Amino acid sequence: MSTPVTEPATDAAASAPQPLTMAGALNAALRDAMAEDDRVVVYGEDVGPLGGVFRVTDGLQAAFGEDRVWDSPLAEAGIVGTAVGMAMYGLRPVVEMQFDAFSYPAFEQIVSHVAKMRNRTKGRVSLPMVIRIPCAGAIGGVEHHSDSSEAYWAATPGLTVVMPSNPADAYSMLREAIDSDDPVVFMEPKSRYWSKAELTLPVRTAPMNRAQVVREGSDVTLIGYGPTVRTALDAAAAAEAEGLSIEVVDLRSISPFDDETVGASLRKTTRAAVIHEAAQFGGYGAEVAARLTERNFFHLAAPILRITGYDIPYPSPKLEEHYLPTPDRVLDALASWEWDLA
Amino acid sequence: MSLNVEHHEPRVLPSEKPIRLLDNAGHALRGRETGGFELPPVERLLDLYRRMVIARRFDVQVTALTKQGRLATYPSAFGQEACEIGVVSAITADDWLFPTYRDSIALLTRGLEPGEILQSFRGDWHNGWDQHAHRTAAMATPLATQALHAVGLAHAARLRNDPIVTLTYLGDGATSEGDSHEAFNFAAVWQTPTVFLVQNNQFAISTPIARQTHATTLADKAVGYGMPGYHVDGNDVAAMFAVATAAVDRARSGGGPTLIEGLTYRIESHTNSDDPTRYRAARDVEHWKRRDPIERLEKYLVSEGALTDDIRADITEAGEALAGRTRDAMSETPELDPLELFDHVYATPRPALAEQRAALEAELAAHAGQAREEVAAR
Ligand SMILES: Cc1ncc(C[n+]2csc(CCOP(=O)(O)OP(=O)(O)O)c2C)c(N)n1
C-alpha cells in the first residue's frame, strides 16, 4: 500500500463541509484522484456523457476530456482485460462494471490475470487498477441487478476486496484503492448510493484494510459490511430497548479480513453474528465464522451465527423483502442463543 | 491453402446501403436497393401492419403503466416495430425465439398474454410463461448470452432431425460481448439453423453505435464467420420480413445461419430510469420519428387501397382490447407466496433448503400473529 495522500484536493471550494451522497463522494474521490495523478483513467459502460447509470462518474468526462474518461465497447472481459494492459504500461485504470452480475463476463480476466499477475511474475509486474462494482440488492431491481458477488472475489488470492458503507469511507477508501499498487475490487452497495453525510473533502477515514467499531456494546458483536451495516445498527438500536447491548463492526475490508479489530470485539462480547445479503452456503460469513472461531474459541459463549440471504437465487422485486436480512430477523437469530448459559 | 473455400459463395460484404423495399414515403422500390428481395404480397403486409399497430398500442400502454409505478421497469421498443414484428413473423409456432428484455412486442406476436410477458417487469417472478409451450425462451438480460442458447437448441434439433429454426434477437451493444462472437462462430461452424437479428437501434443505453464498432455495418461481421449477413432498413417491415423469411427458409433447408442487421432507432429512453437528454439531441429523435415504420407501411397500404376504414376500425378495436387486457393484468394484485422462493431451485430437494423454508414460514406466521394482535388491540 502506498502512503495515503494528505495533500488537499486541488479544488479549493471542496474544503468547506458539504452534504454528499455516497455516489457524490465516490465522484469526488475520482475527481480528486484524477486531478492529482494524470495516470488515473476511468472507463467502462456509459461512464462518459451519461456519468454512469448511478452517476458516479458524472461530469468527469467534461472535466478531464475523452482521453481520461471514456465509454468503452460493451464487453466486461474487454474492459478488465484492457485495463490489465494499461496498468502494465503504468497507468492507473479505474474501470466500472455496471452491476455485480454483469461483471461475470470479466471473471476470467479478474481471476486468471488481475489476481495472479504479481505472483506469477515474482513481484515484477504490479497491476495498480481498481474494478468498481455496484453490488447487492434492496433497490427493487429486476433479475441480475441485485447479486452479491463478494465471496467469489474474496475466495481469489491476489485480490484486495473492499466495500464502504457510508459516504466518508466511500471517498477515503476509493482514494486509497486508486493509490494502491495491488488491484482492488471496489464494491459499492447500491442501496447506500443515496445515503448522505456532511463531509469536508478530502476526508480521510481509517485505512481501507481495517474494520471499524461503529457502535460500542458489551453483549453481542454484530459484523456487517456495505448494506448490512445499516441493518446491524438498526438491530442494535431496537435491541437497546430490550436491554441488549450490541456492538457493531463495519468490516469495510472483505479481503484482507481484519482479525485484530473483529477479534478484539468478539473477545469483549463473547458472542458474534455476521450479516450479509448473499446466500449463506459457501458465503463470506462462513469465512468470518470459521476464522473467528479458530482464533477465539475459548472466548466464545455461543456459536457464531450467520444471518444472510437464503440459499436461493436473488428474488424478484416483489419478493426481495422476504429474502433480505432485516433487523427483526437479526434479533430473532440472536434470541436463538441460549442466553442463560452465558 | 485457405479454409473451406468449397463451401462458400463469393465473399461479398453486405451492401453499405440498407436493403429497402419501401421508401420512407411508402413507395415500392425496384433495383439494387432491394438486394434482390421481393415485396411481400399486400395481404401479408396488411397483416404485419395490424400486428405493428397493436404492438405499439401495447408498448405505449405499458410505458404509461410503468410511469404510474405499476411495473418496476419497461424497456420500450417504440419505433422498432418493423424489426421486432417483421422478423418474428417469419418463423412458425414450432420454431424457437430467444429474446432480450427489449422484445416484449415480439412475444405478443408469438401469442403470449400481457400478464405473462410483463410478470418479470412487474417484479413478480423472473419469467412469466411456459417456455416450451410457447417455444419462446425467457428474456435474457445478461447481454448476448441467449444467442448461444439459440445455437445450442438449433444444433440439438438438427441432431434429432427436427426441422425447426431458432431465432435470436440482439442489440447493437450486445454485439460487442464475447458471447456474440462465440454464438456467431458456433452457429457457422456447426451450420445450425439459426437466424440472428441484430437490432441496431444506435444506442446501448447512452453509448452510440460508433463507440461499439469500427465496422461499416454490423452485418459485415457475418463475413468473418462465413455466414451471410444483411444490412437492412430496420424501419421497413417489408424488407425485414422478406430478408428474414429468406434466412429462415435457408436455415430450415440446411443452409446454415444468417445474421440480419436491422438499422433502426430507439425512440424512447433505454428504460424508465434513463435520462437520454444527457447523451442525445432531441432533434435526432425527431429525425427518426419522421421515419416511423408504421407510417411508412400505412402510406403504402393506403396507396394500394388496401387499408379500408373497416380494417382500420377493426385494428383499433383489437389494440384497445389488448390495452385493456394489459391494464387489467397490471392492476391485479398478484398473490405471491414467499415460500415458493424455495420450490424451484433444485430438481432434487435439499434438507437444508427445507430448513430455511421452514424458518421463513415461521417468521411469516409470527408476523401474521403480530398483525392480528395489533388489529385486536385497536
Ligand atoms: C453482460 C451485461 N453487461 C451489461 C448489462 C447492462 N445493460 C443492460 S442493457 C444495456 C445496453 C444494451 O444495449 P443494446 O445491446 O444495444 O440493446 P438495447 O438495450 O439498445 O436494445 C446494458 C449495458 C447487461 N445487461 N449485461
Side-chain angles (χ1 to χ4, degrees):
Chain A
M1 193 193 80
S2 61
T3 22
V5 185
T6 45
E7 307 288 305
T10 43
D11 188 353
S15 59
Q18 49 178 318
L20 272 181
T21 60
M22 182 185 279
L26 292 165
N27 181 266
L30 289 171
R31 201 178 281 269
D32 291 351
M34 294 185 78
E36 221 159 80
D37 184 347
D38 71 1
R39 294 172 303 170
V40 179
V41 295
V42 169
Y43 66 101
E45 293 155 13
D46 305 294
V47 299
L50 185 65
V53 294
F54 295 105
R55 304 293 184 263
V56 171
T57 58
D58 193 18
L60 296 182
Q61 189 177 68
F64 295 97
E66 292 194 28
D67 285 346
R68 302 284 305 281
V69 182
W70 67 91
D71 287 332
S72 69
L74 207 176
E76 295 75 12
I79 292 167
V80 175
T82 54
V84 169
M86 296 215 185
M88 285 173 68
Y89 187 83
L91 299 190
R92 289 184 172 256
V94 181
V95 295
E96 177 174 302
M97 304 282 97
Q98 209 160 65
F99 288 82
D100 290 51
F102 306 144
S103 67
Y104 303 153
F107 197 80
E108 179 179 42
Q109 288 290 343
I110 298 174
V111 171
S112 297
H113 292 295
V114 175
K116 293 182 176 144
M117 188 66 86
R118 173 173 296 277
N119 181 63
R120 66 201 281 250
T121 63
K122 295 194 171 180
R124 285 185 291 263
V125 179
S126 289
L127 294 180
M129 56 190 278
V130 177
I131 303 169
R132 295 184 35 247
I133 307 184
C135 68
I139 55 159
V142 292
E143 201 181 10
H144 310 296
H145 289 79
S146 299
D147 278 30
S148 287
S149 61
E150 68 271 15
Y152 306 141
W153 315 127
T156 304
L159 296 177
T160 296
V161 186
V162 300
M163 194 189 301
S165 70
N166 60 73
D169 275 348
Y171 179 91
S172 182
M173 290 165 70
L174 185 52
R175 293 297 307 269
E176 198 182 331
I178 294 170
D179 286 339
S180 170
D181 288 333
D182 283 319
V184 178
V185 174
F186 192 91
M187 307 194 70
E188 304 169 1
K190 292 177 281 252
S191 62
R192 307 303 299 154
Y193 267 138
W194 313 117
S195 63
K196 277 208 185 100
E198 284 282 325
L199 298 184
T200 304
L201 297 182
V203 63
R204 283 303 186 166
T205 61
M208 70 174 182
N209 58 358
R210 298 309 298 262
Q212 287 275 282
V213 173
V214 292
R215 176 187 169 113
E216 302 223 353
S218 54
D219 298 330
V220 182
T221 299
L222 278 182
I223 303 161
Y225 52 86
T228 61
V229 174
R230 183 76 260 156
T231 316
L233 287 168
D234 290 348
E240 194 172 15
E242 297 170 20
L244 192 64
S245 169
I246 292 184
E247 178 146 308
V248 177
V249 179
D250 178 354
L251 281 187
R252 301 166 82 250
S253 180
I254 307 293
S255 174
F257 179 81
D258 182 354
D259 293 295
E260 191 184 334
T261 305
V262 189
S265 174
L266 173 59
R267 286 190 296 276
K268 180 175 81 172
T269 62
T270 72
R271 294 165 192 268
V274 52
I275 314 172
H276 59 63
E277 285 187 15
Q280 184 164 95
F281 192 89
Y284 185 67
E287 176 63 25
V288 173
R291 63 191 301 126
L292 287 174
T293 304
E294 278 168 0
R295 287 156 191 250
N296 304 284
F297 184 70
F298 295 108
H299 299 271
L300 289 179
I304 296 173
L305 297 177
R306 291 170 291 162
I307 304 160
T308 66
Y310 298 115
D311 294 329
I312 60 175
Y314 195 91
S316 50
K318 290 228 168 98
L319 291 169
E320 72 179 340
E321 60 170 315
H322 299 291
Y323 172 90
L324 292 164
T326 56
D328 276 346
R329 195 171 285 168
V330 172
L331 295 176
D332 284 352
L334 301 191
S336 75
W337 280 325
E338 295 181 31
W339 282 95
D340 43 78
L341 286 185
Chain B
M1 197 192 86
S2 62
L3 300 165
N4 298 331
V5 275
E6 72 278 16
H7 302 330
H8 290 304
E9 309 279 302
R11 302 195 307 164
V12 282
L13 280 172
S15 147
E16 245 179 85
K17 239 186 145 197
I19 293 169
R20 183 175 291 154
L21 301 180
L22 292 176
D23 69 13
N24 197 37
H27 300 132
L29 294 167
R30 260 179 269 286
R32 284 182 63 106
E33 241 179 312
T34 66
F37 290 93
E38 303 226 334
L39 192 67
V42 75
E43 310 77 62
R44 178 45 102 166
L45 291 175
L46 197 55
D47 182 50
L48 290 168
Y49 174 80
R50 177 189 173 89
R51 292 176 184 204
M52 288 202 293
V53 172
I54 293 173
R56 177 166 297 180
R57 181 68 190 90
F58 170 82
D59 192 276
V60 167
Q61 179 64 69
V62 181
T63 296
L65 289 166
T66 308
K67 285 182 180 146
Q68 293 163 24
R70 297 283 175 82
L71 290 93
T73 189
Y74 179 65
S76 162
F78 193 111
Q80 297 180 213
E81 293 86 354
C83 290
E84 291 279 356
I85 307 300
V87 176
V88 80
S89 299
I91 60 170
T92 69
D94 287 337
D95 297 329
W96 272 81
L97 174 67
F98 287 79
T100 77
Y101 53 85
R102 180 74 59 207
D103 308 319
S104 293
I105 60 172
L107 304 191
L108 279 179
T109 297
R110 294 290 279 167
L112 275 77
E113 276 299 310
E116 295 177 306
I117 298 170
L118 299 174
Q119 237 191 67
S120 60
F121 294 138
R122 185 165 62 177
D124 304 357
W125 200 269
H126 308 299
N127 169 235
W129 61 88
D130 180 338
Q131 301 190 33
H132 283 278
H134 292 287
R135 299 209 161 202
T136 300
M139 293 170 176
T141 298
L143 297 165
T145 52
Q146 78 286 358
L148 284 159
H149 309 164
V151 174
L153 194 139
H155 194 53
R158 276 233 312 178
L159 295 175
R160 287 284 180 275
N161 295 318
D162 177 0
I164 63 161
V165 169
T166 64
L167 168 64
T168 184
Y169 284 15
L170 294 158
D172 45 292
T175 63
S176 295
E177 290 280 6
D179 279 12
S180 290
H181 157 71
E182 295 178 27
F184 298 157
N185 192 49
F186 272 64
V189 171
W190 291 350
Q191 286 292 289
T192 66
T194 305
V195 177
F196 300 99
L197 168 66
V198 175
Q199 294 189 75
N200 178 359
N201 66 11
Q202 306 189 47
F203 285 93
I205 308 187
S206 71
T207 307
I209 180 68
R211 296 207 164 265
Q212 221 56 259
T213 184
H214 199 63
T216 311
T217 76
L218 290 172
D220 287 8
K221 298 197 179 214
V223 177
Y225 297 102
M227 70 173 149
Y230 296 94
H231 177 61
V232 186
D233 183 332
N235 284 10
D236 176 4
V237 72
M240 291 306 297
F241 177 77
V243 174
T245 300
V248 168
D249 289 350
R250 181 171 44 249
R252 207 181 304 283
S253 59
T258 302
L259 190 153
I260 303 171
E261 174 193 9
L263 179 64
T264 179
Y265 194 83
R266 197 196 74 215
I267 298 289
E268 282 281 350
S269 53
H270 173 69
T271 64
N272 48 303
S273 53
D274 179 33
D275 174 11
T277 62
R278 284 177 166 252
Y279 56 80
R280 68 183 187 187
R283 67 173 179 282
D284 291 348
V285 183
E286 290 313 312
H287 172 84
W288 280 92
K289 277 187 176 164
R290 289 192 297 273
R291 315 183 68 76
D292 187 83
I294 296 180
E295 284 173 21
R296 184 186 310 197
L297 180 57
E298 186 168 323
K299 285 176 199 155
Y300 174 75
L301 292 174
V302 168
S303 73
E304 292 294 297
L307 198 58
T308 63
D309 286 347
D310 280 357
I311 294 175
R312 279 180 195 269
D314 185 52
I315 295 174
T316 305
E317 197 181 300
E320 288 312 316
L322 179 68
R325 280 213 307 289
T326 306
R327 285 192 302 271
D328 290 348
M330 291 301 104
S331 59
E332 281 165 16
T333 310
E335 293 242 346
L336 300 177
D337 178 5
L339 296 176
E340 199 185 347
L341 286 171
F342 300 90
D343 291 352
H344 314 292
V345 187
Y346 301 100
T348 311
R350 297 187 167 196
L353 209 54
E355 272 175 32
Q356 294 187 354
R357 187 182 194 279
L360 179 58
E361 193 168 13
E363 193 181 291
L364 293 168
H367 280 231
Q370 251 168 23
R372 269 196 305 277
E373 277 168 35
E374 277 162 28
V375 171
R378 269 191 232 137

